[in-house]
Amino acid sequence: MKDMQPPHLEQSRVQKSFRRGLESYHGAASVQAETAAHLARMLQDQGAPRHFGRVLEFGCGTGHFTRQLLQRFSAGSLVLNDLVPEAAQVMQALEGDTQAKTRFKGGPIESLPLPQDLDLIASASTVQWIPDLPALMARLAAHLTPGGWLALSGFGRGQFRELAAMGSAAAAPSYLDADEWPSVLPEGLEIRQIAQRPAVLEFASALHLLRHLRQTGVNGNARQGWSRRQLRSFEDAYRERFGQGGKLPLTYDPVLLVARRTG
Ligand SMILES: C[S@@+](CC[C@H](N)C(=O)[O-])C[C@H]1O[C@@H](n2cnc3c(N)ncnc32)[C@H](O)[C@@H]1O
């Protein structure tokens, strides 16, 4: 799948795609919702404290992970970030006292000025969009307090394997399997738990499948605008290669990790 990656990621296209999908994302992104719940549980199971002083969540989107975190943990202060400025709406769903402690900052996490001494850095289903992950991870680690926690999820190389096999350019730039993460994290970040949990969704037709991609904004690098003929030949080829019981499967490949800064 690596050879399918675009030479450079057009962040504005990713932004446009997520902005357009923002309204429909929350309900349509079932795998991301499940992943957010699982990741929050993982953090708790690893013995994270019930209260964190300073928390940063990047790529918050419509707040699937924000809500899961706030059900289990409290925060002295919370910075929420997303590439898409309209994601600031997520603030409206927070309770009054949490809202008072929360600030939203829009823009790419790669260049966002970060607070010092963070106790938790959290992010679900976002790091696959970061072209230079080692650089971001090194910067994040430098802003974690010693003993601070990192709870992240992205996607592995099996993500949308059917689309990749069909020659689609919908791939995000940084799909990483669980066994690749140790070499991406800088020294001083210790992985406490990592899990890869593929999940397959099924669609009645190519139109339903493409609509799902559009609603969830996950096809930020995909070409837009299909003719009826193109759609039909895509569906026929997809069915022939992957069709099961009349349905079209689509593989998601979430990778979840909890790490801690040592020393
Ligand atoms: C699949 S959504 C995940 C949203 C939410 N965390 C969840 O679990 O449902 C990915 C989010 O990452 C955001 N994003 C993509 N690239 C980003 C970047 N470089 N910096 C900050 N956010 C980014 C997108 O705008 C989108 O809202």
Side-chain angles (χ1 to χ4, degrees):
M1 219 136 108
K2 211 164 183 176
D3 56 350
M4 296 196 47
Q5 292 169 7
H8 61 274
L9 176 71
E10 289 180 48
Q11 208 160 47
S12 64
R13 190 130 69 107
V14 175
Q15 184 178 21
K16 199 170 146 208
S17 182
F18 275 110
R19 181 186 285 144
R20 197 184 49 219
L22 206 61
E23 295 293 319
S24 53
Y25 176 85
H26 203 70
S30 57
V31 175
Q32 290 89 336
E34 225 170 86
T35 301
H38 188 221
L39 186 55
R41 257 194 326 270
M42 238 167 91
L43 183 61
Q44 195 170 36
D45 291 349
Q46 284 304 315
R50 283 200 56 81
H51 179 82
F52 290 102
R54 295 163 176 241
V55 178
L56 165 74
E57 185 196 348
F58 64 94
C60 65
T62 56
H64 279 304
F65 195 34
T66 319
R67 268 167 255 214
Q68 289 292 338
L69 285 172
L70 291 172
Q71 276 173 24
R72 289 176 172 78
F73 306 98
S74 59
S77 68
L78 172 62
V79 173
L80 294 177
N81 154 264
D82 199 278
L83 179 64
V84 175
E86 288 85 346
Q89 291 163 15
V90 72
M91 298 274 297
Q92 289 159 16
L94 303 180
E95 284 172 19
D97 54 335
T98 310
Q99 205 177 72
K101 297 178 204 161
T102 306
R103 274 173 307 149
F104 179 88
K105 295 184 177 182
I109 183 64
E110 297 95 310
S111 54
L112 193 79
L114 299 177
Q116 278 302 331
D117 295 328
L118 288 162
D119 299 289
L120 170 66
I121 298 178
S123 181
S125 306
T126 296
V127 288
Q128 71 280 2
W129 291 112
I130 310 292
D132 189 350
L133 263 183
L136 177 66
M137 290 299 134
R139 202 163 83 86
L140 294 179
H143 286 79
L144 265 185
T145 197
W149 296 76
L150 181 70
L152 285 186
S153 80
F155 295 96
R157 291 183 184 271
Q159 177 75 353
F160 298 155
R161 65 176 189 84
E162 300 85 357
L163 293 176
M166 300 279 298
S168 151
S174 292
Y175 291 148
L176 287 180
D177 286 339
D179 63 359
E180 295 176 277
W181 270 97
S183 65
V184 169
L185 296 183
E187 232 173 85
L189 268 188
E190 186 186 275
I191 294 181
R192 301 285 293 255
Q193 192 181 349
I194 187 156
Q196 190 154 358
R197 311 175 81 222
V200 178
L201 298 187
E202 289 185 330
F203 298 90
S205 70
L207 204 59
H208 286 92
L209 190 153
L210 294 172
R211 190 178 300 148
H212 167 80
L213 291 176
R214 199 176 160 85
Q215 284 176 338
T216 50
V218 294
N219 58 342
N221 281 329
R223 202 165 49 90
Q224 302 292 325
W226 291 46
S227 71
R228 202 172 288 189
R229 172 135 42 108
Q230 281 172 317
L231 185 64
R232 192 168 323 123
S233 76
F234 172 77
E235 171 146 356
D236 290 347
Y238 202 109
R239 251 181 224 294
E240 193 177 317
R241 281 184 85 164
F242 304 108
Q244 279 170 359
K247 300 273 188 187
L248 304 180
L250 179 67
T251 302
Y252 276 80
D253 192 17
V255 176
L256 302 80
L257 78 89
V258 171
R260 227 178 148 184
R261 183 168 158 189
T262 55

